[in-house]
Amino acid sequence: RSTISLPHSRFYLCAIDHLVRPPLLMAHGDFALLAANDSGASSGAGKADAVDRARRQELLQAAFREAHAKVDLTSWTWLVQGRFAAGFIVLLLLMRVVAWSQGNIPGYSVLGIHFLTTGADLCCACCAIPLFVGGSRGYCVRSGCVGPALTLIFSMSMVDIGALVSFLLVDTPRPLAPESERSAVDLLEAVMGVWDFALIASVALELALCASAWRLYRELRVAGLYPPGSNPAIGMKKDDEVSLMELVCEAEDAKYMRQQWQQHCSCLGDAPKQDGSQRAVVNDGMP
């Protein structure tokens, strides 16, 4: 090394520089090309994801339209029946207001019963009108209020039935005028007044309203439109079914109770079989 002169060392350094620099430049160019390819691939993958997402959204919207059309076709009878029942309940409320304003007030013994059935009618009308007017595309379905509305309508129907039974137990006929002043209208009012007719009509209309709400709820569940977040393209699973327990509880709670009941019944059904098989084994072992 000591024998190499300064000009020779410069010559060697320049040679090494020319040998090393082109590969480095080439490597830098390859890296830029790879980066460009990666960005192009990522942009292509993003476009593919966007196209796939748009396609899935179109398929989901088509499934929703088909499910809504199916529900409208199968439940239009119950929608009309529910609207008529809710309208007549509103008429009963107005009739009670008119009777009260004219001084036709029920007796003290049944005043609480009529107040209870009037409140039940008011609750049913407030819950049923938005449900049956909006239908399968209404706010009640989109916000998940169909189940609570059905439970409230069912509860008010039971309250109305209890009020009718109490009325039949405690009601007494009105006193009549002397026979010379009696009329057919007085005799009819003594037996059944306007409040009594309103009570009987209220029970019938609330039962019709409850039946319509239940059938609409069942169609929505089968079509996959309720509860919110369900996929109508899938609908209900084969193992699932709309249970009558959903009148008073949520679908998940009803499914859990049904599963527990089935497991309990299966355990009770297997117990005699196991006992019988054990007895057979013991009897076979006996001489």
Side-chain angles (χ1 to χ4, degrees):
R1 292 179 184 176
S2 60
T3 58
I4 299 175
S5 61
L6 183 60
H8 291 86
S9 62
R10 289 179 179 178
F11 173 78
Y12 288 133
L13 289 174
C14 291
I16 292 172
D17 185 43
H18 283 290
L19 290 173
V20 172
R21 186 176 294 178
L24 291 176
L25 293 175
M26 188 179 297
H28 179 71
D30 291 342
F31 178 76
L33 182 61
L34 289 175
N37 291 334
D38 290 340
S39 63
S42 61
S43 63
K47 292 180 180 178
D49 291 340
V51 171
D52 191 19
R53 193 181 302 110
R55 185 167 176 243
R56 288 199 301 267
Q57 188 174 3
E58 289 179 359
L59 292 175
L60 185 61
Q61 291 177 356
F64 269 106
R65 288 193 296 269
E66 184 179 356
H68 280 298
K70 181 179 178 181
V71 171
D72 293 340
L73 182 63
T74 56
S75 63
W76 70 271
T77 305
W78 316 121
L79 284 173
V80 173
Q81 178 178 320
R83 290 167 185 170
F84 272 104
F88 281 116
I89 286 176
V90 173
L91 288 179
L92 284 179
L93 292 172
L94 295 177
M95 186 176 67
R96 289 188 178 106
V97 171
V98 172
W100 185 280
S101 63
Q102 290 182 353
N104 189 351
I105 301 173
Y108 180 77
S109 60
V110 294
L111 182 61
I113 294 175
H114 289 292
F115 177 78
L116 187 63
T117 186
T118 303
D121 289 347
L122 183 61
C123 291
C124 284
C126 293
C127 291
I129 289 175
L131 175 61
F132 287 100
V133 170
S136 63
R137 296 175 176 83
Y139 178 76
C140 290
V141 178
R142 289 185 279 108
S143 60
C145 296
V146 180
L150 175 63
T151 302
L152 184 59
I153 292 172
F154 175 74
S155 302
M156 293 300 103
S157 301
M158 296 299 102
V159 168
D160 230 11
I161 292 174
L164 178 61
V165 173
S166 301
F167 170 78
L168 294 176
L169 292 175
V170 303
D171 186 40
T172 55
R174 292 173 54 187
L176 294 174
E179 294 185 2
S180 59
E181 300 179 1
R182 290 181 186 177
S183 64
V185 176
D186 294 335
L187 183 60
L188 185 61
E189 287 183 352
V191 178
M192 292 289 291
V194 61
W195 291 88
D196 307 335
F197 279 113
L199 175 58
I200 296 174
S202 174
V203 173
L205 290 173
E206 285 189 10
L207 288 177
L209 193 64
C210 183
S212 302
W214 165 250
R215 289 184 172 94
L216 178 60
Y217 173 83
R218 186 176 59 186
E219 293 295 334
L220 290 172
R221 289 269 287 115
V222 171
L225 295 175
Y226 192 85
S230 302
N231 190 352
I234 299 175
M236 289 184 60
K237 297 180 180 179
K238 294 182 179 180
D239 297 336
D240 295 342
E241 60 180 4
V242 185
S243 174
L244 285 174
M245 289 187 294
E246 296 182 25
L247 286 169
V248 294
C249 61
E250 294 294 334
E252 294 80 7
D253 299 333
K255 181 179 179 181
Y256 175 76
M257 288 188 288
R258 185 172 63 251
Q259 290 176 352
Q260 294 297 320
W261 174 255
Q262 290 176 355
Q263 291 177 1
H264 181 69
C265 291
S266 63
C267 292
L268 292 178
D270 292 340
K273 295 180 181 179
Q274 293 177 359
D275 295 341
S277 60
Q278 291 176 359
R279 291 195 191 97
V281 171
V282 171
N283 291 332
D284 290 340
M286 291 179 62

